[in-house]
Structures are given as C-alpha cells and as structure tokens.
Amino acid sequence: MQQLRSKAKEHLLREEWEESILAYSHFINLCQDQISNTQHHLDPENLSKHHKSLCLGLSNRAEARSRLREFDEALKDCEQSLKIESTHFKTLLCKGKILLNLNRYSMALDCFKTALLDPQAVENAESLHGYLEKCKRLDFLSRTGGFDLSDWIVNKYRGKSPELAEYIGAVQIRKSVISGRGLFATKNIDAGTLVLVTKAIATERGILPSEDSGENAQLVMWKNFIDKVTSSIAKCPRTCYLINTLSIGEDEDVLEVPDISLFRPEAEEKSRDLDNKLDMASILNILDVNSLVEDAVSAKVLGKNSGYYGVGLWVLASFINHSCSPNARRLHVGDYVMVHVSRDVKAGEEITFAYHDVLLPLDKRREMSNSWGFQCNCKRCKFEDEMSEKQEIREIEIGLERGMDMSGAVYRLEECMRRCVVRGKQKGYLRASYWSAYAEAYGSQKSMKRWGQRIPAVDAVVDSLVEVVGSDERLLKVLIEGLNKSSGLLDKERALKLGRGVYGKVVKKQALRTLLEIGFF
C-alpha cells in the first residue's frame, strides 16, 4: 500500500491525471478492504491511520479528477473524504475549488471559511483569502447582476477578461406562441438591463480560411464542437440533464416547461440522481437546433475572440426564440454570454433575438428564415404580408430594384403610410423593412438638401425603429452622424439610451465612447 500510494502521488505531482486516478483507485480499494476486513482486530491507533490514509487518498483522487473536469465524481470523493474527517483541510480546499468551477459560489464560500479555521491555513493564507474574496465577489454578481465591463473595454481588452458569474434576472420559461417554449419577462425591464449571464457547455472557435476551403474548416470545427459537448455530457449528469431539456426540433407543443430554478448552479442536487440518457442522434439534433454562432446580427463579441468564428451551446439562452421584432441582444465575453434587453420590455413580454437581419424587406427575411428551418409568423410579418398587396408598395419595391433615388423612395413610402393611415408600431415595421433606403437618404447631403423638408427627421425614424426592432448598431451610427450636426442635450440622451440598448448597461459612458470611437458622450 505504501508503494502504491507513493506511485499515485508521483503521478499527481507530474500532472499525469489519468494514471494518478488509476493508482489512487487501486490504493483506495485496498485501504477500504483493509479497514473492512481487520477493523475488529486492529488497535484504534492503526485503524485511525488507515482512515487517515483513505481520507487523503480520496482527496488526492478528487484533485486529479477535478483537473480532468470530472467534477461530479470529484465531488463524490470529497464527500466521502469529509465523512471520515469533516475538517480535512486539503479536501475542503479541493471541494471549494470544484464548487467554484461549478459556479456554486455560496457553497464554495462555506468550504473556504471552514478551511480557514485549520492551522494549515496559515501557510496558505494568501491563496485562501483570494478564494474567499473571489467567492464573495461572484456570489454578489450572481445575486444582483451588477456587472461592469467598462474598465476592461476602456483598456482595449488588455489583460485578463473580467470574471463573470452565472446570473438569472427577472425571467421565466413559459409556453410560447412563437414556437415551443420561450423566455418571458416577469416585470417591466428597462433597455440595456441584463436578463441572464451564463457559461457555455462547450465552444469551438477558429479562423475561417478562404471561401473555397471555408466549408471544410467549418465541418472540422463542428466535429470538434460535438466532441466537446459529448465529453461534457459523459462527465457530468447535470450537463446531460440540462441539455435534455432542449428541443430537438420536433413536437414543440408537447415539450415540458422546466422551472427556471433548475438552471441555477445551486440546483445541482435536483438533477444528480435523475436517469438522464442522450444518444448521439438526439445530441446532434439538439445542437443543430440550439447552438448559437457568436458573430451574429444580434450579438457582439468582445475581447480576444472577436477575430474568430465561434459556435457554442448556452442552454438557457437557447430558449430564446426569434422574432422580426426582437427585443434582446447579447455580448460574448470569453465562454460567457450576457443577454440584455435592447429596448424597454413589459412584464409578460417574450424575450426574443433576431436570428437573422431584420432590417430587410419581408421577402428577404422569409428567405433567411427558410434557411434556418422555420417560418416566422410574428405580428410584423403578418402586417407586412397584408401591405405587400398594395399597389404603392409594389411600385416602391420595383422602383428600388431599378435604381430609384433612395430619398424619393422614402418620401413615397411615408406618403403611402399617411394615406393608408399606418400608425404606431406598424409605421416602424415598414421603415425597418426599407431601412437601407432611409440610411442612404440620411447619409447623403445632396439628398437631404432636396428632400430634407419632405421626409421625417432622422431621430424620429430611429425612435420608431427602436420601438419595433430594438437597438441596433446601424441605427446608432446614423443617429450619431445626425448628432454631429447638433449639440442638443436631448439628442445626446437619446443616443446614450440607444447605446445602452446595443451594448447593455454593463458598459458605462466612457466605455461606450471607446467602443463607438466618438466624443459626444
């Protein structure tokens, strides 16, 4: 047993994790047999030594397993070790680090606090206090959502990316009229407010080469991504359970609606003993339906990953449906996704992303929806379907295809809406569909000199679009160009609110100025 323990420790020190686990498993089995077979014959002192050896063996195997990210098995080892000695310093430290990796901050904090009482804590005081402060900080963020990326952004992403925590805001999962289940606001939410922050089950990133070989590169990335997800499922029953809640793209109406609490990290115990099984066909279907691409129209990648093509699986974010009148955007920071509302949202309203560009006419949006494998039947699509039958709309579309002056097209569309008594959000729907014409008109001094008095002011049009498609960088750009000709405080506040909708409240004024490379904030 002594030789076996020495061999296991040697593997551990060499960071040969799998070999160390095998050796410690052998040692643990022998130790347990020795205790079981001789506990009535051994004197208390020798029995105590065997228990201490078993406790340390379990602790070291837990350490090796945690390095391979086999956190579930590592936790079981820690629990067995602490049954033998409830204040075992090394085990408490190991368990605390595992719980921290699993985003279970308050439980990790309890472990580190207990470890701090041990005399050995004096030698490890600096690192232990570091873990304590980290747990407190992340626990605070997970409860409040008080994230701030500003300093990191102002410093041009130098250094490590900010430490983020799992956070679920004022949302719940409910049946959706759009498709299957969706994420819904439980209270009124201001533009830019976070609704969730969550870490990916797995991600895969790379630089795509030229078009000729780009498709093959994507296939290789996709295979690597599948392997990572499969590995995560094999190592963690909770991961398997959470992925099992996702849709495979069939029978959406009969799917169970999971409680939002199941997605909080502290809900680990609720899913540990459930019988979760996923075959490869189900995994592939789930990934096909639920994976998110980082470089998307409703997303912004911050930091070192911004130059890469990336794909990942963020389970709770996968419940967010598409709408051509979306109200949410996301920031990708490391392996985390931060979802915020891009306009003011009312209690009971569904949180939605734009899966594709929604500043386009109905026919082009339908083409893109078909490529995603669904057909959008939102209010905007239904309204524009009715309007497409009108002669004036058809003439404007034909005119644009033939090179009609963009400002003239905007004027004709506005006149058409006035005659047809199109008001409120419906006016925003049509303006969003012909946004390219508005953007070109407002960007041309020649056009504005000729048509400026006959078409709406840029801020009025942007406001109407934000109401129906949320904040968008392109809207912000056009508004900023208009602000360069004006210094009104009201206009600056409007631009600031639009900036919050694009990047979220996690980015303050100074950081917004850095992102936008402008000076009027």
Side-chain angles (χ1 to χ4, degrees):
M1 285 178 66
Q2 183 60 42
Q3 288 177 346
L4 192 55
R5 181 166 61 183
S6 297
K7 183 180 178 183
K9 188 174 182 180
E10 186 179 337
H11 285 308
L12 191 69
L13 292 172
R14 288 180 176 178
E15 299 186 358
E16 297 167 348
W17 310 123
E18 291 181 356
E19 293 83 353
S20 178
I21 290 168
L22 286 172
Y24 272 118
S25 295
H26 192 186
F27 172 78
I28 288 165
N29 288 337
L30 287 176
C31 206
Q32 288 171 332
D33 289 343
Q34 187 78 2
I35 291 170
S36 177
N37 295 332
T38 62
Q39 61 180 334
H40 299 300
H41 310 292
L42 285 175
D43 61 81
E45 186 178 346
N46 280 327
L47 188 60
S48 176
K49 285 181 180 178
H50 278 72
H51 277 118
K52 284 183 178 180
S53 295
L54 178 59
C55 182
L56 185 59
L58 288 163
S59 181
N60 286 339
R61 187 171 70 177
E63 177 70 27
R65 281 175 162 169
S66 70
R67 296 304 185 95
L68 293 176
R69 304 192 68 79
E70 296 174 358
F71 295 131
D72 194 68
E73 292 301 313
L75 270 181
K76 289 177 182 177
D77 279 347
C78 288
E79 287 162 5
Q80 284 189 61
S81 178
L82 292 172
K83 282 180 181 178
I84 299 168
E85 187 180 336
S86 61
T87 59
H88 191 257
F89 178 79
K90 190 171 184 179
T91 305
L92 287 169
L93 201 58
C94 181
K95 185 178 180 181
K97 289 189 285 186
I98 293 168
L99 291 169
L100 196 53
N101 267 292
L102 294 171
N103 303 311
R104 296 162 69 182
Y105 316 112
S106 60
M107 295 179 71
L109 186 61
D110 290 340
C111 286
F112 294 130
K113 282 181 177 179
T114 306
L116 198 61
L117 302 174
D118 192 282
Q120 295 182 63
V122 176
E123 300 174 11
N124 301 272
E126 189 175 346
S127 63
L128 197 51
H129 280 290
Y131 283 125
L132 281 166
E133 290 306 310
K134 183 175 181 178
C135 285
K136 290 176 184 177
R137 185 168 61 252
L138 296 180
D139 186 50
F140 173 79
L141 292 174
S142 73
R143 288 185 287 104
T144 65
F147 300 86
D148 188 352
L149 306 181
S150 301
D151 289 344
W152 181 56
I153 292 170
V154 169
N155 290 322
K156 304 291 179 68
Y157 311 119
R158 285 190 289 270
K160 290 177 64 177
S161 58
E163 287 182 329
L164 302 180
E166 293 276 333
Y167 168 74
I168 299 176
V171 290
Q172 64 179 181
I173 302 170
R174 286 170 29 192
K175 286 286 187 181
S176 169
V177 295
I178 296 175
S179 176
R181 293 87 44 91
L183 211 60
F184 290 79
T186 57
K187 67 176 185 179
N188 294 343
I189 306 175
D190 295 334
T193 302
L194 280 175
V195 292
L196 69 92
V197 179
T198 186
K199 191 176 183 180
I201 297 296
T203 58
E204 178 67 13
R205 299 183 182 93
I207 297 175
L208 294 182
S210 62
E211 290 185 13
D212 294 337
S213 54
E215 187 174 343
N216 288 333
Q218 278 185 287
L219 287 173
V220 172
M221 286 180 63
W222 184 249
K223 181 186 180 301
N224 292 339
F225 174 54
I226 292 168
D227 290 343
K228 288 181 179 180
V229 173
T230 305
S231 175
S232 295
I233 289 171
K235 290 177 180 178
C236 181
R238 172 172 164 78
T239 297
C240 183
Y241 171 75
L242 293 179
I243 291 176
N244 221 349
T245 65
L246 297 177
S247 167
I248 61 170
E250 300 174 1
D251 301 321
E252 297 275 350
D253 295 334
V254 299
L255 291 174
E256 181 183 347
V257 178
D259 191 280
I260 197 80
S261 65
L262 291 173
F263 298 88
R264 301 185 189 278
E266 59 268 26
E268 172 84 23
E269 299 300 325
K270 297 179 182 179
S271 57
R272 176 178 282 192
D273 298 324
L274 295 178
D275 183 23
N276 303 312
K277 291 181 181 178
L278 278 172
D279 56 35
M280 184 53 72
S282 297
I283 292 172
L284 292 176
N285 286 333
I286 287 170
L287 294 182
D288 186 48
V289 173
N290 296 282
S291 300
L292 295 177
V293 174
E294 290 181 324
D295 184 19
V297 69
S298 60
K300 187 77 176 177
V301 182
L302 300 182
K304 65 180 182 179
N305 294 329
S306 59
Y308 296 89
Y309 172 86
V311 62
L313 179 65
W314 293 268
V315 176
L316 193 52
S318 298
F319 283 90
I320 300 177
N321 285 313
H322 164 84
S323 173
C324 290
S325 184
N327 57 23
R329 294 180 60 83
R330 63 185 191 265
L331 298 178
H332 290 275
V333 180
D335 286 342
Y336 281 85
V337 66
M338 310 179 79
V339 179
H340 64 270
V341 294
S342 56
R343 59 172 171 81
D344 294 343
V345 170
K346 294 180 179 179
E349 189 175 345
E350 182 169 1
I351 306 298
T352 54
F353 282 145
Y355 285 11
H356 53 66
D357 192 355
V358 293
L359 294 180
L360 290 173
L362 177 64
D363 58 341
K364 291 184 178 178
R365 298 202 312 274
R366 280 183 169 167
E367 285 178 17
M368 287 189 287
S369 293
N370 287 335
S371 70
W372 275 77
F374 70 91
Q375 188 165 357
C376 183
N377 292 307
C378 67
K379 290 180 182 179
R380 177 183 169 189
C381 287
K382 290 177 180 176
F383 168 72
E384 289 183 43
D385 197 27
E386 295 172 5
M387 289 296 294
S388 65
E389 299 298 319
K390 295 190 177 294
Q391 182 66 28
E392 288 177 272
I393 295 294
R394 288 203 295 267
E395 289 176 358
I396 292 170
E397 289 176 350
I398 292 170
L400 287 171
E401 289 174 1
R402 294 177 177 176
M404 175 193 289
D405 177 77
M406 292 297 183
S407 298
V410 168
Y411 173 74
R412 290 194 62 178
L413 180 62
E414 292 290 332
E415 285 296 298
C416 173
M417 290 192 289
R418 182 181 63 79
R419 283 191 292 272
C420 296
V421 197
V422 175
R423 295 174 181 167
K425 287 187 175 182
Q426 293 179 340
K427 189 177 285 190
Y429 292 156
L430 287 176
R431 285 171 172 171
S433 287
Y434 296 95
W435 169 245
S436 60
Y438 283 89
E440 189 170 324
Y442 292 131
S444 168
Q445 289 186 343
K446 183 178 178 182
S447 291
M448 291 306 291
K449 281 182 181 179
R450 180 182 177 188
W451 296 93
Q453 298 299 318
R454 290 186 282 176
I455 62 176
V458 61
D459 53 355
V461 170
V462 167
D463 282 350
S464 70
L465 264 69
V466 170
E467 187 182 6
V468 297
V469 297
S471 303
D472 186 284
E473 284 181 295
R474 291 165 291 181
L475 304 183
L476 185 57
K477 181 181 177 182
V478 167
L479 186 62
I480 289 168
E481 289 172 352
L483 283 172
N484 287 334
K485 305 167 189 175
S486 168
S487 59
L489 181 62
L490 182 62
D491 288 337
K492 289 181 180 179
E493 288 303 315
R494 179 185 281 113
L496 180 58
K497 183 173 182 179
L498 184 54
R500 285 197 201 104
V502 173
Y503 297 103
K505 291 181 180 179
V506 296
V507 180
K508 310 305 180 189
K509 287 185 182 180
Q510 181 64 30
L512 269 176
R513 186 167 61 191
T514 302
L515 281 171
L516 302 172
E517 296 181 346
I518 54 174
F520 67 85
F521 283 141

